[in-house]
Amino acid sequence: MFALNKIKQTSADNLELEIKFLFNSSDVFKIKEKILEIPEIFYEGKVYEKTTMLDNQEKTMDKADARLRVRQINKQKGDKDSKIEFSYKRRVKADGGIKREEEIETAFTADINSFFYILNKMGYEITTSYERYRETYKTKDVKITLDEFPFGYILEIEGKEKNINTMRDLLKLNKEKSYALSCDDVYVELCEKENIKPKDHILFDDPEMPKIN
C-alpha cells in the first residue's frame, strides 16, 4: 500500500526551468555564505537521496533522451523510512544557461523493494544510480538546491526565468559558466579527464571517484 500525495498533470506544470553551477569542496563554503545573505531566504534542511534510473529492453528512455527515475529520500543514509519520488524527465533545451526539461512527477511512501519489483515485472530494469546529500533553500520566487555528490557539488536555481536570472545576479554567478547537462554527465567528463572508466553507479564509498577541481 502507498499513499499518493503529489502529481503534476498540465503541460504548463510539466516544464521545469533551472540553471546549474559546479563547485569544488574549497569554493562551496563561499557560495553557502552568499545564499544565507539573501533577504527572506528559508533553509529547509539537508537530506540523503539515492536516485535510480530504469529502462526497458527496447531502450525507450534512452531513445527519447528521457529518464524514468526513482528517488529515495531519507533524513540520513540508512534510514528505513523513505519518501519516494517517481518521475519521467525529458530534456527540451538549454537557452542562456537555463535548462528546460519536461517533468512529470509523483511522490509517495512505499516499500522500495516492492516498488522496484513491480517495475521489473513491467519490463523496466535498473540502469544507473547516484547518491547525494541535498540542502534546500527557498524564497517566494525560487528554489535553490546545493547537492553534494561523490565527485563534488552542484548548485541549482529553479523557478521562472526572470527570477532565476535575478537570483543568479544576487549570487554573482556567471551564466557563461553554468552547466546545462546532468550530474551523470559531470561524472563522465571528470572520469575522461582523469582516465578513469565510468561506472554505472556513482557512490560515496567508491575509492576511484574523480573530483571537481
Side-chain angles (χ1 to χ4, degrees):
M1 294 292 294
F2 59 83
L4 191 68
N5 58 34
K6 186 176 78 168
I7 186 165
K8 298 178 180 179
Q9 294 180 330
T10 67
S11 58
D13 287 337
N14 291 347
L15 189 61
E16 179 185 64
L17 275 66
E18 63 187 32
I19 191 167
K20 294 181 179 181
F21 296 89
L22 309 184
F23 291 90
N24 58 34
S25 56
S26 299
D27 294 334
V28 71
F29 299 104
K30 297 177 183 177
I31 194 63
K32 281 187 180 184
E33 289 178 352
K34 290 181 181 178
I35 293 171
L36 292 173
E37 290 172 356
I38 298 169
E40 300 180 2
I41 196 75
F42 174 73
Y43 177 61
E44 285 197 338
K46 183 176 182 178
V47 295
Y48 166 81
E49 298 180 351
K50 183 172 183 180
T51 301
T52 303
M53 273 65 67
L54 303 99
D55 207 343
N56 54 25
Q57 289 186 347
E58 290 75 28
K59 303 296 182 184
T60 301
M61 296 297 109
D62 187 51
K63 290 175 183 177
D65 196 17
R67 294 183 177 191
L68 189 66
R69 187 179 73 183
V70 177
R71 176 168 290 159
Q72 301 164 249
I73 303 173
N74 302 93
K75 289 185 177 180
Q76 294 182 12
K77 184 176 180 179
D79 285 352
K80 292 183 179 180
D81 296 328
S82 298
K83 175 185 174 183
I84 298 172
E85 291 180 352
F86 184 46
S87 62
Y88 168 89
K89 296 190 75 170
R90 183 178 63 87
R91 294 175 184 172
V92 180
K93 64 177 181 176
D95 182 21
I98 295 179
K99 180 181 177 183
R100 289 167 169 80
E101 289 186 321
E102 178 186 8
E103 180 178 26
I104 305 168
E105 181 179 278
T106 184
F108 51 88
T109 56
D111 176 72
I112 188 65
N113 293 324
S114 296
F115 186 56
F116 276 127
Y117 185 68
I118 291 169
L119 292 173
N120 292 159
K121 286 292 186 180
M122 295 170 64
Y124 284 89
E125 300 286 344
I126 292 173
T127 56
T128 59
S129 68
Y130 60 82
E131 294 180 300
R132 72 182 178 194
Y133 287 95
R134 163 161 284 195
E135 293 185 81
T136 303
Y137 306 81
K138 285 185 177 180
T139 70
K140 65 176 183 175
D141 297 318
V142 299
K143 179 171 77 170
I144 302 170
T145 54
L146 183 60
D147 294 331
E148 178 189 357
F149 289 93
F151 52 76
Y153 295 82
I154 298 180
L155 175 81
E156 179 179 299
I157 306 171
E158 180 182 339
K160 294 182 179 179
E161 184 170 357
K162 177 182 177 181
N163 297 329
I164 289 174
N165 288 326
T166 297
M167 182 58 66
R168 177 180 54 77
D169 289 340
L170 280 173
L171 295 176
K172 295 180 172 56
L173 296 170
N174 184 350
K175 71 177 181 181
E176 302 301 325
K177 295 184 178 181
S178 63
Y179 192 88
L181 302 179
S182 68
C183 64
D184 313 64
D185 297 306
V186 177
Y187 169 69
V188 171
E189 288 182 359
L190 290 171
C191 285
E192 290 174 350
K193 288 179 181 178
E194 298 187 21
N195 294 316
I196 297 172
K197 183 179 179 180
K199 301 175 184 177
D200 291 333
H201 305 285
I202 306 172
L203 307 174
F204 281 104
D205 61 2
D206 184 350
E208 298 180 340
M209 188 60 54
K211 300 293 182 181
I212 295 173
N213 294 321

